[in-house]
Amino acid sequence: MFRKLMDRFDRLMGRGVIDEQFYEELEDALLQADTHVQITQEILAELREAIKIEKITEAPDIKARLQLAIANRFRQGDAAGLAVNDNYPTVYMFVGVNGVGKTTSIAKLAYLLKTKFNQSVMLAAGDTFRAAAIEQLEVWGKRIGTDIVKSQPGADSATVLFDAITAAKARGAQFVLCDTAGRQHSKANLMAELDKVRRVTNKALGRDPDEVLLVIDANTGQNAIRQAEEFTKTAGVTGLILTKLDGTARGGALIGIYDRLKVPIKFIGVGEKVEDLRDFDPETFAAQLFS
Ligand SMILES: Nc1nc2c(ncn2[C@@H]2O[C@H](COP(=O)(O)OP(=O)(O)O)[C@@H](O)[C@H]2O)c(=O)[nH]1
Ligand SMILES: [Mg+2]
């Protein structure tokens, strides 16, 4: 993701001096990767200070220190993992705008829960907006071997989720993963509908969904942050899933996302296959940004 940034960094280091031009070009490179202006300033300030105090002079050390400065902005306290409720089923709702990877992420998580943790999973085809969306989830369900609760296209999404939770209770399924229709965060009525879905979930479950996971396409740059802000305000988002990190040059926007939203990143998506879901770990993540 930061290949370009690093190429530039290497060229800069080839000049052999750490001067104002070095910092200016580094600033430019960070901004081009869509890093927030203020975060860019923080990273540069940390790097300047470290170079001075720790007396760093060698290029590889400066590079490592830059990576650390970036990794430091991905730290999110002790927010790792997903909430699991002993009172079955644990319910996760997936929200986000169209095409970000909600349905694919549901398939990936279902696969992970099933294969790695040996849990029984129920899928809820809550994206009733298009017939293709229901079919897509069905195909994944068959492939992974999980039950699915669905309805007709155009049916009430909240009802599907209610039925899925009820069915999961009856069958003793441990997890319900709820798909929802893509929503533009700017449309107030759709956001209100999302709130209704949440309330219905509450009715069927006796509590809020255990996680409301906002799926964000890492390629959307600063717009990803705006989506996240809006959804966090309206949909009670508890965690983020960042997708398509396998092909983005704009991931800089994600640096410092926790500082701004206080919503932790739970998983990252690195491809289109069910195996392509990874835990989020700041250090590993920051290291990958440079590979
Ligand atoms: N390369 C890549 N593609 C992804 C990833 N996650 C989802 N996609 C693709 O993005 C497209 C939209 O995904 P989908 O799950 O249907 O999005 P939804 O509209 O939010 O449900 C599909 O072609 C997926 O295969 C990812 O992590 N990496
Ligand atoms: Mg979908």
Side-chain angles (χ1 to χ4, degrees):
M1 177 193 300
F2 282 140
R3 165 122 277 151
K4 276 203 200 119
L5 173 65
M6 283 302 112
D7 285 351
R8 241 171 119 173
F9 180 89
D10 290 339
R11 253 183 287 129
L12 274 170
M13 289 312 297
R15 291 171 53 243
V17 278
I18 306 297
D19 53 8
E20 278 313 304
Q21 192 189 340
F22 166 80
Y23 286 113
E24 269 168 34
E25 289 211 22
L26 192 56
E27 175 178 16
D28 202 39
L30 280 164
L31 291 172
Q32 265 181 26
D34 236 336
T35 314
H36 191 261
V37 181
Q38 193 196 321
I39 305 276
T40 299
Q41 297 312 324
E42 285 172 23
I43 291 170
L44 289 173
E46 183 179 325
L47 188 64
R48 273 177 195 268
E49 188 76 0
I51 286 178
K52 208 163 70 187
I53 292 178
E54 297 161 29
K55 300 199 169 39
I56 310 173
T57 51
E58 300 302 313
D61 299 335
I62 296 176
K63 197 168 174 171
R65 196 57 189 78
L66 172 62
Q67 290 189 15
L68 178 64
I70 291 174
N72 283 343
R73 269 144 202 94
F74 277 112
R75 267 177 240 296
Q76 41 187 49
D78 50 357
L82 293 175
V84 176
N85 203 301
D86 290 336
N87 192 5
Y88 297 168
T90 292
V91 175
Y92 301 152
M93 239 178 88
F94 291 68
V95 300
V97 303
N98 255 327
V100 290
K102 288 180 297 299
T103 307
T104 311
S105 296
I106 287 174
K108 289 173 178 177
L109 188 58
Y111 176 80
L112 183 76
L113 288 168
K114 219 184 150 211
T115 56
K116 193 168 172 205
F117 298 100
N118 203 24
Q119 301 290 295
S120 53
V121 181
M122 175 90 71
L123 306 180
D127 181 357
T128 53
F129 204 65
R130 298 166 305 134
I134 301 170
E135 281 159 25
Q136 185 191 2
L137 196 67
E138 261 188 310
V139 170
W140 279 121
K142 277 207 190 90
R143 217 181 290 173
I144 303 164
T146 52
D147 285 343
I148 173 170
V149 170
K150 56 165 185 167
S151 186
Q152 299 307 311
D156 180 32
S157 175
T159 307
V160 176
L161 303 192
F162 187 90
D163 290 348
I165 293 168
T166 309
K169 275 184 182 166
R171 295 182 218 171
Q174 287 146 312
F175 286 87
V176 177
L177 307 187
C178 304
D179 204 1
T180 61
R183 283 166 172 83
Q184 281 302 336
H185 55 286
S186 46
K187 290 186 183 151
N189 53 335
L190 288 174
M191 297 305 282
E193 193 196 314
L194 205 63
D195 194 50
K196 177 187 164 198
V197 169
R198 259 167 50 87
R199 271 185 283 119
V200 167
T201 312
N202 208 302
K203 209 162 126 196
L205 194 64
R207 61 175 190 267
D208 268 358
D210 299 288
E211 298 275 359
V212 177
L213 300 170
L214 173 64
V215 182
I216 296 180
D217 178 343
N219 290 291
T220 37
Q222 284 299 324
N223 192 41
I225 307 298
R226 279 188 287 278
Q227 280 171 27
E229 276 166 357
E230 285 306 314
F231 272 96
T232 306
K233 259 188 268 163
T234 15
V237 174
T238 59
L240 305 178
I241 297 179
L242 307 178
T243 60
K244 312 191 192 183
L245 280 158
D246 49 308
T248 181
R250 309 187 64 193
L254 307 170
I255 300 174
I257 193 170
Y258 181 73
D259 270 346
R260 275 177 281 162
L261 302 173
K262 297 293 175 236
V263 177
I265 301 166
K266 300 289 188 180
F267 290 104
I268 59 172
V270 294
E272 297 184 86
K273 299 192 297 293
V274 277
E275 302 90 359
D276 296 332
L277 191 71
R278 304 277 180 275
D279 281 336
F280 178 76
D281 169 63
E283 264 91 69
T284 318
F285 186 70
Q288 278 168 355
L289 289 180
F290 298 94
S291 63

